[in-house]
DNA sequence: GTCTATAGAGGGATAGAC
DNA sequence: GTCTATCCCTCTATAGAC
């Protein structure tokens, strides 16, 4: 396969799922062995998917025997849940922190830019967050679904505020909310840090697109 | 989990992956047993993913024993490949058939509408097409990647034509191509035929969004 | 807390009868 | 072309030594 491929076509084998987020972000996971397992699991789940990832693979990425995993996590699913929960919380925090401007237009711009940049910068964990939901236990899925609703509500609220004060024109509020989220989320599927624009540049571009979507 | 959920949040267990495309579309797969296996595999792969689907599951959906599968297909992966290949060809044909208008704006509108509606109407097979690429063998992936490049090229060509004749303003051609494709593709992830707009309505909406993206 | 060894279950694919 | 039976492997998780 040629090196020079459009990203759209180059999404199977050989996808670059590189190093992972900033290591600092996982300092709260103690001890270090548990953290190595967690970051190894993020990479493995993002590359191969939850079902195709073996506990042996995760353990070997952490330079441990398969059995050592169970000292730190009771199951493979629990590892997925902790990753998914942390990732969803991080995405919600990013969005909340960006919601500070005075006008709906400025708020939407900042929120879409931040949400998009997060999906690009942390595309590894974002892939797990967005595409491995079905592997969670029903109870664990319920828990992250609550966070997903909160994320959706934040965007819907900004759009509604823009409609209220007359700056946005949105015929279908839930549909437009979904479209705005959709564009950012899909970044996790195709983003390749070796070829694509920086997360910040992409965020700025997508923020513009979102504003055009609501005819601001 | 409450019935009334925003689609964004409702993407794990309980996703509605209903009946499948039109049965007519698979008439070329003969004999009928092979067709039952293929359509069963599409539903199973879309619901659970390739790795989580067992050959026993596929066979039982076709009311057959596990062994009977191997009379019609040499492996589980081959079943995935045939689904993926057919799905990619169908998407390319849909896009090609829609590329008939005179102006770039009308062409883009028709193509995005058709491509989006296809991902909604055939969201089951579209999920397999868009999210199970990594489970293909390297050789089979190479083959569908060719079709993916053709799809991408069709969109890029329309955008380039619009830039040439001055009706579109596109600072980043590959980036905008990807964003237009991205919005349509993500439909396969969240589309729920029991709640969402009809494929045609969604296609019309997304065609408008695409035209705004290129400032037509 | 880490290891080696392994239990116990399940899955892809095949053998051989009909 | 479909079945029953099963091989053989891999995988999650546990047992028990250190």
């Amino acid at each position: 396969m040629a090196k020079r491929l459009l990203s759209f076509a180059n999404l199977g084998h050989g996808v670059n799922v590189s190093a992972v987020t900033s290591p600092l972000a996982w300092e709260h996971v103690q001890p270090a062995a548990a953290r190595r397992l967690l970051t190894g699991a993020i990479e493995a789940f993002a590359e191969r998917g939850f079902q195709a990832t073996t506990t042996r693979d995760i353990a070997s990425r952490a330079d441990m025997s398969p059995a050592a995993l169970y000292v730190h996590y009771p199951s493979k699913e629990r590892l997925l849940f902790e990753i998914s929960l942390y990732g969803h919380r991080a995405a919600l925090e990013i969005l909340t922190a960006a919601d500070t401007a005075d006008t709906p237009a400025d708020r939407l711009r900042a929120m879409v830019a931040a949400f998009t940049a997060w999906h690009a910068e942390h595309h590894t964990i974002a892939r797990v967050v967005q595409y491995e939901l079905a592997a969670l236990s029903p109870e664990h899925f319920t828990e992250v679904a609550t966070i997903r609703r909160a994320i959706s509500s934040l965007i819907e609220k900004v759009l509604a505020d823009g409609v209220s004060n007359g700056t946005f024109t949105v015929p279908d509020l839930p549909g437009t909310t979904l479209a705005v989220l959709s564009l950012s989320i899909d970044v996790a599927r195709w983003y390749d840090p070796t070829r694509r624009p920086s997360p910040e540049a992409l965020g700025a571009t997508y923020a513009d697109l979102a504003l055009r979507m609501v005819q601001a």
Side-chain angles (χ1 to χ4, degrees), chain A:
Chain A
M1 191 162 32
K3 200 77 189 269
R4 176 68 190 78
L5 274 185
L6 292 172
S7 288
F8 169 66
N10 185 24
L11 290 167
H13 298 272
V15 167
N16 187 324
V17 182
S18 62
V20 140
T21 69
S22 84
L24 287 175
W26 297 105
E27 265 182 351
H28 66 100
V29 179
Q30 293 292 347
R35 189 164 60 246
R36 291 205 314 273
L37 287 165
L38 200 85
T39 54
I42 292 171
E43 294 185 14
F45 292 161
E47 278 176 20
R48 315 188 196 293
F50 176 81
Q51 301 281 356
T53 298
T54 68
T55 52
R56 285 169 172 77
D57 182 6
I58 297 168
S60 77
R61 285 174 196 254
D63 288 315
M64 296 167 78
S65 75
L69 187 152
Y70 294 91
V71 173
H72 302 283
Y73 300 94
S75 68
K76 189 173 79 156
E77 191 275 342
R78 180 60 188 248
L79 212 30
L80 173 65
F81 172 58
E82 300 214 356
I83 293 165
S84 188
L85 183 62
Y86 179 89
H88 276 93
R89 284 180 177 160
L92 177 57
E93 281 170 22
I94 284 283
L95 208 51
T96 307
D99 189 6
T100 57
D102 291 329
T103 69
D106 286 345
R107 285 165 61 203
L108 183 61
R109 177 182 299 280
M111 290 166 81
V112 170
F115 195 63
T116 301
W118 186 84
H119 278 78
E121 171 107 37
H122 305 280
H123 61 279
T124 314
I125 189 171
R127 279 183 197 178
V128 182
V129 164
Q130 302 297 350
Y131 300 116
E132 301 300 331
L133 289 173
L136 291 167
S137 74
E139 295 73 21
H140 288 162
F141 173 73
T142 301
E143 196 163 341
V144 302
T146 304
I147 305 177
R148 293 180 77 81
R149 280 193 294 279
I151 289 172
S152 187
S153 295
L154 279 178
I155 296 290
E156 188 161 353
K157 182 83 167 58
V158 181
L159 298 188
D161 289 347
V163 170
S164 290
N165 82 353
T167 52
F168 295 169
T169 305
V170 176
D172 175 7
L173 187 60
T176 306
T177 301
L178 191 46
V180 168
L181 286 167
S182 182
L183 201 59
S184 297
I185 286 170
D186 197 56
V187 167
R189 183 181 60 85
W190 59 260
Y191 191 79
D192 177 351
T194 64
R195 283 201 303 260
R196 282 287 126 198
S198 71
E200 291 69 27
L202 188 68
T205 302
Y206 275 35
D208 282 336
L209 292 176
L211 286 169
R212 285 185 212 145
M213 284 182 190
V214 298
Q215 299 193 325

